[in-house]
Amino acid sequence: MDGTVIDYENEVIFTRIEGLSNIEDMVHVPLTSIAIAEASMINGYHEYLGTGSLVMVFDGDEFSSEYTIIVDGDTNGDSVCDALDAAQVALVSSGRDTLDGAYAMAA
């Protein structure tokens, strides 16, 4: 999909696509596989796939791999890059906060 890169070696899905709740809108899932995505943020009735969401891939009934989603600029896992993320990056830059793992990579 446009705006999405899969790093198979590090099991990370990098994307610029924001506000999605269905993994198949982000990456192509072959018919022989099943991908189950765990939302990073639940807002009302919508579950969003943001930074930190986990995607478990099954080949038939067998577990195949697990990926972490990183949405470009989404440092808080709400699936969008907005003023909240910019404020968090500013706090990190000034030494008042830290980001780890996927959230640091999103920044």
Side-chain angles (χ1 to χ4, degrees), residues 1-6 13-17 20 25-27:
M1 301 278 174
D2 268 355
T4 301
V5 175
I6 302 173
I13 300 171
F14 294 98
T15 188
R16 288 177 283 158
I17 303 171
L20 294 180
D25 291 335
M26 189 178 298
V27 295

Side-chain angles (χ1 to χ4, degrees), residues 45-66:
Y45 295 104
H46 299 286
E47 296 182 356
Y48 292 106
L49 302 176
T51 296
S53 291
L54 297 178
V55 178
M56 292 158 282
V57 180
F58 295 85
D59 187 13
D61 292 336
E62 297 292 317
F63 175 78
S64 173
S65 55
E66 182 175 271

Side-chain angles (χ1 to χ4, degrees), residues 14-34:
F14 294 98
T15 188
R16 288 177 283 158
I17 303 171
E18 299 179 347
L20 294 180
S21 58
N22 184 346
I23 189 61
E24 292 183 8
D25 291 335
M26 189 178 298
V27 295
H28 171 72
V29 179
L31 292 176
T32 58
S33 298
I34 297 171

